[in-house]
């Protein structure tokens, strides 16, 4: 089992940047595929980005390609999401997610509590 705690959310102006972090408990972080999801008010939770357990494969939603970068540090049990050129449409609660295995599934087994990102125009 793994526990996930997100941090780094906040209020930023359009065009600005934020870096989200997700700290994972346990000694087997490198055995988990990881990802970021987001949920805006009255919308479904959608995937933003995902990364394989060894970081040799990544996925990005079309809406964030070229602006967001997902990465992980297995030595620190931490997942990151660097968000640049933020837009008001990026406003949402961002969730960290994990699945045992190489690739993230569509319904990850483990979730963090979420961190709010608000982008003002």
């Amino acid at each position: 089992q793994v526990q996930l705690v997100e941090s780094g959310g906040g209020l930023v102006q359009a065009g600005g940047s934020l870096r989200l972090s997700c700290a994972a408990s346990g000694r087997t972080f490198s055995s988990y595929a990881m990802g970021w999801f987001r949920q805006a008010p009255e919308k479904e939770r959608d995937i933003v980005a995902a990364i394989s357990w060894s970081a040799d494969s990544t996925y990005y939603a079309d809406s964030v390609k070229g602006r967001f970068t997902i990465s992980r540090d297995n030595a620190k049990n931490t997942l990151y999401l660097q968000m640049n050129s933020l837009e008001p449409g990026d406003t949402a609660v961002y969730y960290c997610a994990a699945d045992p295995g190489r690739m993230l599934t569509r319904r990850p087994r483990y979730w963090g509590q979420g961190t709010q990102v608000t982008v003002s125009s």
Side-chain angles (χ1 to χ4, degrees):
Q1 187 170 352
V2 62
Q3 293 183 328
L4 307 172
V5 179
E6 302 96 335
S7 62
L11 173 64
V12 64
Q13 289 187 333
S17 298
L18 282 175
R19 188 174 83 155
L20 304 183
S21 298
C22 173
S25 65
R27 297 178 294 176
T28 59
F29 178 72
S30 60
S31 299
Y32 288 82
M34 303 293 297
W36 292 96
F37 287 69
R38 68 185 181 187
Q39 187 168 18
E42 300 182 357
K43 292 189 177 181
E44 294 186 352
R45 189 175 299 187
D46 293 324
I47 189 166
V48 175
I51 189 166
S52 61
W53 59 10
S54 62
D56 63 336
S57 179
T58 57
Y59 166 84
Y60 295 94
D62 287 343
S63 59
V64 306
K65 281 182 182 176
R67 300 188 297 122
F68 291 10
T69 302
I70 189 170
S71 62
R72 64 189 298 163
D73 186 336
N74 287 346
K76 295 182 178 180
N77 285 12
T78 304
L79 174 73
Y80 303 100
L81 184 68
Q82 178 66 44
M83 306 186 294
N84 299 328
S85 302
L86 283 161
E87 304 167 353
D90 295 317
T91 296
V93 176
Y94 284 70
Y95 297 90
C96 173
D99 264 325
R102 181 176 180 272
M103 300 300 294
L104 200 70
T105 67
R106 293 186 178 185
R107 301 179 72 176
R109 184 179 302 181
Y110 302 108
W111 294 90
Q113 293 299 308
T115 185
Q116 175 71 46
V117 172
T118 303
V119 184
S120 63
S121 58

